Structure formats: structure tokens, C-alpha cells
């Protein structure tokens, strides 16, 4: 199945998109380490890092919407150049020991200009698959592949920053990130696949297919599937109201981010209690490696297991595998529990991205994918701040309890909401009925 995926995407797009999204994974930790090293203040570092996360969370959906409306090429070109300049400016300002206000402002600018390579690459890949008449199984393989690239970048990015901090200076890592943005962000923008991601009018609904399957050429959004056979949507209708499930999926992804943040706080606190703080990054990396491996194998799930069932199973896995975090009492147990928990992360992420692709209008897909990614970033930042305080006052189990609560809320959402429920039907294209006198 992945052979078909690579044949569809070509050899260049995955490499370029991976190197374009890697700087995003480097900048969050890199900015914290850089500002902490140059200012000597963890508070200042937290403010700058928080501003970067807030900027990315708020601006991500805006960049996604601009890409939907204006096309990815121009938007990514401008954002990549602006982001490279902003990251370089943050490095220079930190090395020059400027005031906290300037560091926060530049951190916010670095977050606001993130080019959203991950969500936009996912949008392109899905558009290429749908345009080639791929069935849901191949689209699922494409999403699994993109999810694996995300997971690898999440693991590799912080690892590169850590190596740079250990053997040189955090500034070196951020300057490398700025260079990657300038080179590969531009290459990603100019890649021919940018034209494939433009929103297309939904086609007519073809004859019905088995439940949980979408025949090739069928509309992939719930609004279009809710119309009578043979009806098409106007451009305005397709860009209109999102189904309620789209907003619920955004909440679920924010809760997933909260699990990341709470787990990170708990792991850091627990390793510090054991007198082995250097192990925190390795534990978190082990979880990421497991998540990437399981995500890569998601294509083996039988097609007869529908997306709603997959979502419920994934959230149940989050709950079952997160509860043991409350019971860890040694470094070995922490490694084992956190690594196993990683096996539940990728299935949930990939399933939520897949459900979003099926339920939102194609003309709003980039915006919706960016919302999901921003939800992860925002949820992680908020949970990290809350869980860090809880861990300081009550120990690592208090931070892990936040992760378990987030998992439980995800599971509750998956059972009370139908993720494939259609939105309110818009008026089909055609003459409007005459008004009564």
C-alpha cells in the first residue's frame, strides 16, 4: 500500500515536505533553550516560548484558510520567508540580550508566520489521491504516511535541538531551522503539487457504496453526501457551514495535545525526582518512535472497520494505556508505560485527520487541517503550563492525572458524537423558488 502511496506522491514531495515541517518541531524547544541560556531566566524563556506557541495556534487556521482561497504556492512562499526571517531575528535578539518585551514579540512573530507545512502537505496528498480516483483505503494509507512523517519530525526536531545545545549552542539549532525554512519551505511552495490542493467543487453523488466506504470520485464531505443523488453544490454552499463533528474533532485534537503537554510535564517531573533529568528527552523520544511505528502500520487495519469504530477504539486505547502512568514507581516502569502509550497516539491522530478529510468541504480542507494542528499546539502549551504547576506542588502523578483526564474526555466525545453526521443541508444549485405574493 505504501508503494502505491509513494507512486502517487512521487519521490520529491515527501522529502521536501518533511524538511519543510522539521523547523516547526525544532523552534518550540529551541526558543526555550535559547532564551533561557542567554537571559538566565526561565520565566523569560517561558514567556517567549509561550508567545511562539500562541502565535502558531492563532495564526495556523488563518494561513490554512488563505491557502484554501488563494492557493498554497503564494501563501507558503510568503510565510516561509517571513518565518525564516523571524526565527533568525529571534536568535540575534537573544544573543544581543534585548529586553523581555522584544523577545516575546519576536517569539509571537515566529509562531504567527509558521508556514503550516504539515497540514498543507496532508491536504496536497489527499487532493492528489482523490484526483487520481483513489479509494478510501489508499487515502487512509496517505494519511498514515503523512502522520508518520509528523511523528518522525516531532522526535527528530527536539533531538537535533538537544544535540546542538549539548555540543554547541541552542542558537545553532535555530539558525539551521531558519535555513531549512528558507530553502525547503520555498521548495515546498514551488513544488507542482501546490496546484492540486486548490478547492474543487463537489462532484455529483454517485451510486451508494458499502457503509464506511467512499467510491472513487465521490464527494468526501458530509454536506455533499447529504444531498440527493445527482445534485451538485455551488461554490458558496461548499465553503459554507461545517458539520458539528468537525468542531468536535478539533476539540479531540486539542485534548490530544493536552495529553502531550501533561505527559511531558509528568515525565520531566518524575525523572527529576529520580535524579536523572537527562532521561526525560529519551523517554519522550521512545514514545515518539513507538507512535511512528504503529502509525506506519495503520494500513493493515481491515477496511471493514469503519472510521467511527476506529476512533472509538483509538480513544479507548488512550484511556487504557494512560492509566498506568499514575502507578509508575521506577525509571524502567516509566519507559515501559510511556512507550506503550505511544502506540495509542498515532492511531488517534491519523483517525481524526481522516475523519476531518471525510467530513469537511474540500474548499476548507487546508483550513481544517491547520485547525487540528493548531489544536495540538495550543492544547500542549496550556496543559504543559497547568501540569507543570501541579507537578511542582503535588508531584508527577498530578501531571499524569491531567493526561488521563484528557484521554477520558476524548473517549467520551467519540461515543456521544457521530463523526460522520452531515451538516445542515445547503440549498442545491438551481433556480430559487419564487416568493409568494
Amino acid at each position: 500500500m505504501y508503494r502505491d502511496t509513494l507512486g502517487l506522491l512521487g519521490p520529491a514531495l515527501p522529502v521536501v515536505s518533511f524538511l519543510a515541517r522539521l523547523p516547526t518541531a525544532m523552534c518550540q524547544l529551541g526558543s526555550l533553550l535559547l532564551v533561557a541560556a542567554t537571559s538566565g531566566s526561565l520565566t523569560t524563556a517561558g514567556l517567549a516560548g509561550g508567545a511562539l506557541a500562541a502565535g502558531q495556534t492563532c495564526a495556523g487556521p488563518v494561513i490554512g484558510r488563505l491557502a484554501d482561497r488563494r492557493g498554497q504556492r503564494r501563501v507558503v512562499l510568503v510565510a516561509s520567508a517571513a518565518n525564516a526571517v523571524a526565527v533568525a531575528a529571534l536568535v540575534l535578539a537573544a544573543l544581543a540580550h534585548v529586553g523581555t518585551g522584544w523577545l516575546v514579540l519576536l517569539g509571537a512573530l515566529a509562531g504567527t508566520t509558521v508556514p503550516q507545512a504539515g497540514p498543507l502537505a496532508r491536504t496536497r496528498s489527499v487532493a492528489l489521491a482523490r484526483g487520481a480516483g483513489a479509494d478510501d483505503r489508499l487515502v487512509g494509507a496517505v494519511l498514515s504516511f503523512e502522520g508518520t512523517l509528523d511523528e518522525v519530525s516531532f522526535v527528530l526536531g527536539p533531538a537535533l535541538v538537544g544535540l546542538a545545545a549539548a555540543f554547541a549552542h541552542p542558537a545553532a539549532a535555530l539558525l539551521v531551522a531558519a535555513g531549512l525554512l528558507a530553502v525547503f519551505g520555498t521548495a515546498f511552495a514551488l513544488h507542482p503539487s501546490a496546484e492540486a490542493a486548490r478547492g474543487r467543487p463537489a462532484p455529483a453523488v454517485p451510486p451508494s457504496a458499502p457503509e464506511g466506504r467512499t467510491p472513487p470520485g465521490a464527494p468526501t464531505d458530509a454536506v455533499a453526501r447529504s444531498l440527493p443523488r445527482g445534485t451538485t453544490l455551488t461554490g458558496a454552499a461548499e465553503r459554507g457551514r461545517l458539520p458539528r463533528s468537525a468542531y468536535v474533532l478539533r476539540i479531540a485534537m486539542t485534548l490530544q495535545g493536552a495529553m502531550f503537554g501533561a505527559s511531558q510535564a509528568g515525565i520531566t517531573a518524575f525523572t527529576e525526582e529520580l535524579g536523572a533529568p537527562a532521561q526525560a528527552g529519551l523517554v519522550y523520544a521512545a514514545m515518539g518512535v513507538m507512535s511512528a511505528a504503529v502509525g506506519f502500520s495503520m494500513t493493515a487495519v481491515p477496511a471493514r472497520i469503519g472510521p467511527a469504530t476506529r476512533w472509538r477504539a483509538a480513544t479507548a486505547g488512550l484511556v487504557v494505556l494512560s492509566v498506568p502512568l499514575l502507578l509508575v514507581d521506577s525509571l524502567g516502569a516509566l519507559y515501559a508505560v510511556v512507550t506503550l502509550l505511544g502506540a495509542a497516539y498515532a492511531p488517534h491522530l491519523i483517525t481524526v485527520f481522516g475523519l476531518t478529510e471525510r467530513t469537511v468541504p474540500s474548499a476548507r480542507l487546508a483550513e481544517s487541517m491547520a485547525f487540528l494542528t493548531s489544536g495540538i499546539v495550543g492544547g500542549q502549551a496550556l496543559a504543559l503550563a497547568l501540569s507543570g504547576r501541579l507537578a511542582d506542588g503535588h508531584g508527577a502523578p498530578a501531571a499524569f492525572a491531567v493526561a488521563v483526564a484528557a484521554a477520558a474526555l476524548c473517549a467520551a466525545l467519540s461515543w456521544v458524537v457521530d463523526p460522520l453526521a452531515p451538516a445542515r443541508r445547503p440549498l442545491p444549485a438551481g433556480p430559487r423558488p419564487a416568493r409568494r405574493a
Side-chain angles (χ1 to χ4, degrees):
M1 187 62 70
Y2 283 117
R3 182 180 301 174
D4 295 335
T5 300
L6 291 174
L8 182 70
L9 302 181
L13 180 59
V15 175
V16 170
S17 70
F18 174 77
L19 292 174
R21 76 185 80 186
L22 185 59
T24 303
M26 299 172 65
C27 286
Q28 186 68 57
L29 178 60
S31 64
L32 285 169
L33 295 181
L34 171 67
V35 176
T38 55
S39 69
S41 169
L42 290 176
T43 300
T44 301
L47 288 173
L52 190 150
Q56 184 178 348
T57 301
C58 296
V62 177
I63 291 177
R65 174 165 285 196
L66 286 173
D68 280 332
R69 293 185 174 182
R70 306 293 184 185
Q72 288 195 16
R73 179 158 295 164
R74 285 184 293 174
V75 173
V76 176
L77 270 176
V78 173
S80 296
N83 199 218
V85 171
V87 172
L90 177 61
V91 172
L92 296 176
L95 294 175
H97 303 284
V98 302
T100 299
W102 283 107
L103 293 173
V104 171
L105 178 62
L106 289 171
L109 184 60
T112 301
T113 53
V114 169
Q116 304 296 321
L120 297 185
R122 189 174 281 106
T123 304
R124 287 191 198 187
S125 299
V126 169
L128 288 170
R130 292 297 184 190
D135 59 12
D136 280 348
R137 191 164 180 79
L138 181 53
V139 172
V142 167
L143 290 170
S144 295
F145 182 73
E146 289 289 341
T148 301
L149 292 182
D150 278 342
E151 292 289 345
V152 173
S153 72
F154 291 156
V155 173
L156 183 59
L160 291 175
V161 172
L163 288 173
F167 295 102
H169 193 278
L174 286 183
L175 289 176
V176 169
L180 289 173
L181 283 163
V183 175
F184 291 101
T186 300
F188 178 63
L190 297 178
H191 192 275
S193 61
E195 294 302 315
R198 285 185 177 274
R200 301 181 306 276
V205 179
S208 59
E211 184 177 358
R213 300 292 300 276
T214 303
T220 60
D221 55 89
V223 173
R225 283 196 296 271
S226 70
L227 294 173
R229 183 180 301 178
T231 303
T232 60
L233 295 176
T234 64
E238 188 187 3
R239 290 191 297 270
R241 180 184 297 271
L242 293 175
R244 183 182 64 163
S245 60
Y247 299 99
V248 173
L249 292 170
R250 293 173 184 179
I251 295 173
M253 202 61 98
T254 302
L255 291 170
Q256 175 76 82
M259 288 194 70
F260 287 144
S263 298
Q264 186 175 348
I267 291 168
T268 301
F270 191 76
T271 53
E272 287 180 352
E273 290 172 8
L274 295 177
Q279 293 290 321
L282 296 176
V283 174
Y284 208 72
M287 179 180 67
V289 170
M290 172 63 81
S291 183
V294 173
F296 199 71
S297 66
M298 281 290 289
T299 55
V301 178
R304 66 177 180 274
I305 301 178
T309 302
R310 294 186 190 199
W311 189 30
R312 289 165 184 158
T315 57
L318 289 175
V319 175
V320 171
L321 295 177
S322 64
V323 169
L325 287 172
L326 302 174
L327 306 175
V328 294
D329 57 0
S330 67
L331 186 60
L334 181 67
Y335 266 105
V337 170
V338 170
T339 301
L340 285 176
L341 177 58
Y345 280 154
H348 185 247
L349 290 168
I350 292 168
T351 301
V352 171
F353 278 120
L355 284 168
T356 298
E357 187 273 330
R358 289 173 61 90
T359 56
V360 304
S362 60
R364 296 186 66 177
L365 184 57
E367 173 195 352
S368 298
M369 292 295 184
F371 254 114
L372 296 180
T373 303
S374 293
I376 295 175
V377 174
Q380 182 174 3
L382 290 174
L384 185 58
L386 172 63
S387 302
R389 283 198 167 195
L390 290 174
D392 284 340
H394 305 282
F400 288 141
V402 175
V404 176
L409 289 173
C410 272
L413 284 176
S414 71
W415 283 100
V416 301
V417 175
D418 179 5
L420 296 177
R424 189 175 67 183
R425 296 184 181 184
L427 289 174
R432 296 177 178 270
R435 292 184 178 180
R436 293 186 179 180

